[in-house]
Amino acid sequence: MRQATLQIQNLSKSFVLHNQGKVSFQVFENVSLDVYPGECVVLAGESGLGKSTILRCLYANYLSDSGAIVFNHNSQSQDLNKLSDRALIQLRREKIAYVSQFLRVIPRIPALEIVMQPMLDIGYERQQAEQRASELLAHLNIPERLWQISPTTFSGGEQQRINIAREFTVVRPLMLLDEPTASLDAVNRAAVIELIQEAKDQKSAIIGIFHDIESREQVADRILDLQSGNFIENDTWCA
Amino acid sequence: MNQAALVLDESPLLNVSQLTRLYGINKGCQQVDLELFRGEVLGIVGESGSGKSTLLRCLSGMEQCDSGSIEYQPKHHVMNLQDMRKADLRQLMRTDWGIVQQNPRDGLHLDMSAGANIGERLMSQGARHYGQIREQALEWMERVELDIERIDDKPKNFSGGMQQRLQIARNLVTSPRLLFMDEPTGGLDVSVQARILDLLRKLVSELDVAVVLVTHDMGVARLLADRLLVMRDSRVIESGLTDQILEDPQEPYTQLLVSSILQV
């Protein structure tokens, strides 16, 4: 029997805003989901249901209130909610890709260098990293004259593609994609979807948020509707 | 592949427990526990007067603590800072550790040439060959993007940003295992700050040096630190991964601190 790469079990998250009258609100409760190697599960539902919040809990930017996030890889099983900070840093470097909606970088560092960094961090030679980074930037239609420029001056869509390039340099067993196609035109959307397909072929388990129905249809193996908590049936996707 | 992977069962380079140094009620730092591992950047954040600089001075041996222990383990042998002889501690500070002060004028000899400022630490490590020392000084001036033509100039005639880059070169030339930095971009123009941050990021990852970084600037912390400790009124009130502290702070004070960051 195939083992899920990720097993989310009864995950709950709330926030307490201490400086705004101690307001507390529950974002989601008891979310459970298994994601298998080579599969892409899309989180769907209106804004405010906590789609991005789930991804952030999975990447440990957010602390979960309760529940387990079990990551299975190479016959090792770890609950992300119980790992030390250092273990999480290592896991992120080697095993988890996360495409966020924002690009945060030190001004002055060239785009090419930013895309190379994750490979350098896990011990690749500069030459190899540069070659792979160049391939990705070209694939994502970033003009070569921009490669040596800091992306802080780029347009939203260009920054988004730098984010994507950086996270797709190496195959990672788990990928978290927060609206990777949001600010892209049709050509670039297609380029991103091609990368996602490649990652699936290489057995990455993917959880993503896609607002445009076309991209969603192309990549999703299952769609979880957070409103009802049920998977949406295949033939009603476009409804 | 994977030579840069973290070894999770290694022992920490710096192991601090219940460190206390107080000047008055809740002034200074108290009951601080922390671990720092090879190649890791630990940020200490908090407002002025929260005790972060006192903590840094105790950790770096510049100040005696009242109680608690600081263990430094460069290889297999554990050194206990409190029990060390003054001379040994000074030797450690000059070679295996680096200290980048907020004000570069405190960390440089302003009347010695730039080259001599860099060479001095090499000489405390035992280097005697003038030509080699000068060569390394030139190499380091290039690495921190200082004009090598100015190797014989005195840093008192340098701009603040140049002085700070010289101070970084002076500290890193001996390939220290541990670097302490107190507001390294504190007194600098924003444009100069980015350059220093970029340099620090690059050098820290190339040299695999562990860093304790004190800053009140959450933006600097976000860009450089792997983990953060948040201090308030002499105590560590919260700690965690940098992005977790910034995006999901738990303590009321940390929430206030994070919500005060200006979004650019």
Side-chain angles (χ1 to χ4, degrees):
Chain A
M1 163 110 200
R2 254 186 346 152
Q3 190 185 33
T5 303
L6 188 73
Q7 298 170 287
I8 306 172
Q9 295 159 350
N10 295 312
L11 194 70
S12 299
K13 175 64 184 166
S14 62
F15 288 101
V16 181
L17 304 180
H18 290 282
N19 302 298
Q20 295 175 48
K22 271 193 173 279
V23 185
S24 147
F25 56 94
Q26 189 81 37
V27 188
F28 55 81
E29 255 182 306
N30 296 321
V31 170
S32 295
L33 171 68
D34 287 356
V35 189
Y36 290 87
E39 171 184 55
C40 176
V41 175
V42 169
L43 304 179
E46 292 161 29
S47 298
L49 286 170
K51 301 187 293 292
S52 293
T53 304
I54 291 179
L55 293 190
R56 287 177 188 203
C57 285
L58 300 180
Y59 199 60
N61 298 15
Y62 285 174
L63 295 176
S64 315
D65 298 343
S66 57
I69 301 169
V70 180
F71 177 68
N72 301 305
H73 188 66
N74 290 347
S75 60
Q76 258 200 327
S77 205
Q78 298 168 296
D79 180 355
L80 268 54
N81 284 347
K82 292 187 179 140
L83 288 185
S84 70
D85 291 340
R86 273 172 38 81
L88 279 170
I89 290 172
Q90 182 180 30
L91 203 63
R92 283 177 172 189
R93 273 191 195 170
E94 298 174 356
K95 308 278 169 64
I96 307 178
Y98 171 54
V99 175
S100 75
Q101 296 183 51
F102 308 98
L103 179 70
R104 283 210 178 80
V105 291
I106 299 177
R108 225 178 73 111
I109 302 174
L112 184 67
E113 197 74 26
I114 287 167
V115 177
M116 286 165 63
Q117 195 60 48
M119 289 182 79
L120 300 177
D121 286 344
I122 53 172
Y124 279 92
E125 295 297 327
R126 275 196 73 84
Q127 198 194 345
Q128 253 181 312
E130 190 173 333
Q131 192 187 340
R132 176 67 179 148
S134 307
E135 272 170 31
L136 280 161
L137 288 172
H139 177 78
L140 290 165
N141 305 304
I142 302 288
E144 206 167 335
R145 65 189 153 79
L146 297 181
W147 295 5
Q148 294 301 334
I149 295 174
S150 162
T152 43
T153 55
F154 289 8
S155 73
E158 285 162 349
Q159 290 194 356
Q160 178 68 338
R161 279 176 280 150
I162 298 300
N163 242 345
I164 293 165
R166 177 169 63 175
E167 296 304 314
F168 278 85
T169 44
V170 282
V171 182
R172 294 198 181 87
L174 179 62
M175 304 196 81
L176 312 169
L177 310 177
D178 195 348
E179 299 198 43
T181 52
S183 41
L184 304 182
D185 59 26
V187 173
N188 286 310
R189 267 207 308 274
V192 172
I193 284 163
E194 209 176 300
L195 290 177
I196 296 173
Q197 287 297 357
E198 277 172 26
K200 283 168 68 173
D201 294 343
Q202 300 185 64
K203 300 290 171 237
S204 287
I206 300 173
I207 304 185
I209 302 169
F210 295 86
H211 278 300
D212 71 295
I213 291 168
E214 205 180 312
S215 305
R216 187 191 290 180
E217 262 189 274
Q218 285 174 303
V219 296
D221 295 293
R222 289 185 292 156
I223 298 180
L224 179 64
D225 175 20
L226 286 176
Q227 187 87 56
S228 65
N230 298 322
F231 288 100
I232 299 172
E233 289 305 319
N234 211 334
D235 49 352
T236 59
W237 283 8
C238 302
Chain B
M1 260 298 296
N2 269 351
Q3 67 261 41
L6 301 173
V7 183
L8 287 173
D9 53 5
E10 72 174 345
S11 40
L13 193 60
L14 202 61
N15 191 356
V16 175
S17 71
Q18 293 296 299
L19 179 72
T20 298
R21 170 75 176 118
L22 288 173
Y23 309 103
I25 296 167
N26 297 342
K27 284 286 162 222
C29 60
Q30 57 185 321
Q31 291 163 23
V32 175
D33 294 324
L34 67 86
E35 285 181 333
L36 179 73
F37 292 81
R38 243 158 278 270
E40 181 178 50
V41 181
L42 177 69
I44 302 174
V45 297
E47 63 196 358
S48 309
S50 57
K52 52 193 195 309
S53 292
T54 305
L55 175 58
L56 188 85
R57 280 201 301 278
C58 289
L59 295 178
S60 59
M62 290 190 283
E63 197 168 316
Q64 276 281 338
C65 54
D66 302 335
S67 59
S69 79
I70 304 171
E71 289 174 354
Y72 176 62
Q73 189 175 355
K75 286 175 194 142
H76 302 295
H77 169 66
V78 181
M79 304 181 203
N80 203 317
L81 245 59
Q82 288 85 329
D83 305 338
M84 274 175 83
R85 291 185 311 152
K86 281 260 157 40
D88 292 340
L89 184 61
R90 270 202 303 276
Q91 182 63 14
L92 200 62
M93 289 165 76
R94 277 199 298 253
T95 56
D96 213 28
W97 293 2
I99 300 171
V100 175
Q101 314 261 12
Q102 172 173 6
N103 188 337
R105 291 180 290 282
D106 296 335
L108 293 172
H109 302 289
L110 293 176
D111 285 315
M112 265 163 49
S113 71
N117 266 285
I118 299 175
E120 190 193 21
R121 273 175 65 100
L122 286 171
M123 291 176 72
S124 20
Q125 255 191 346
R128 288 291 175 268
H129 188 289
Y130 176 78
Q132 283 168 4
I133 294 172
R134 193 174 169 86
E135 207 167 287
Q136 283 209 55
L138 284 168
E139 184 200 318
W140 269 94
M141 285 187 73
E142 272 190 318
R143 285 182 85 166
V144 298
E145 302 170 20
L146 285 168
D147 181 359
I148 53 170
E149 299 286 311
R150 303 202 61 178
I151 187 166
D152 297 314
D153 292 353
K154 291 172 181 162
K156 66 178 175 193
N157 301 320
F158 287 5
S159 71
M162 287 167 66
Q163 286 177 347
Q164 195 56 297
R165 280 179 277 140
L166 182 62
Q167 196 190 185
I168 291 167
R170 167 182 161 82
N171 275 285
L172 292 180
V173 67
T174 54
S175 303
R177 287 192 178 84
L178 180 53
L179 185 66
F180 298 97
M181 295 197 282
D182 191 358
E183 307 278 7
T185 58
L188 304 172
D189 287 346
V190 179
S191 59
V192 182
Q193 268 187 22
R195 185 169 185 185
I196 302 264
L197 287 177
D198 176 23
L199 260 175
L200 285 172
R201 177 204 64 96
K202 208 183 291 172
L203 295 171
V204 162
S205 92
E206 280 170 16
L207 302 172
D208 206 26
V209 55
V211 179
V212 180
L213 164 76
V214 161
T215 181
H216 71 277
D217 186 331
M218 301 296 269
V220 170
R222 178 190 280 280
L223 294 173
L224 287 182
D226 300 309
R227 294 189 293 128
L228 289 184
L229 301 182
V230 184
M231 286 191 77
R232 188 190 194 197
D233 294 341
S234 72
R235 294 170 201 271
V236 173
I237 58 163
E238 188 165 354
S239 67
L241 292 175
T242 298
D243 51 10
Q244 183 259 303
I245 295 285
L246 291 172
E247 291 169 34
D248 190 16
Q250 305 291 307
E251 291 292 319
Y253 173 71
T254 316
Q255 292 190 352
L256 189 66
L257 198 68
V258 170
S259 65
S260 324
I261 305 173
L262 296 175
Q263 301 291 337
V264 183

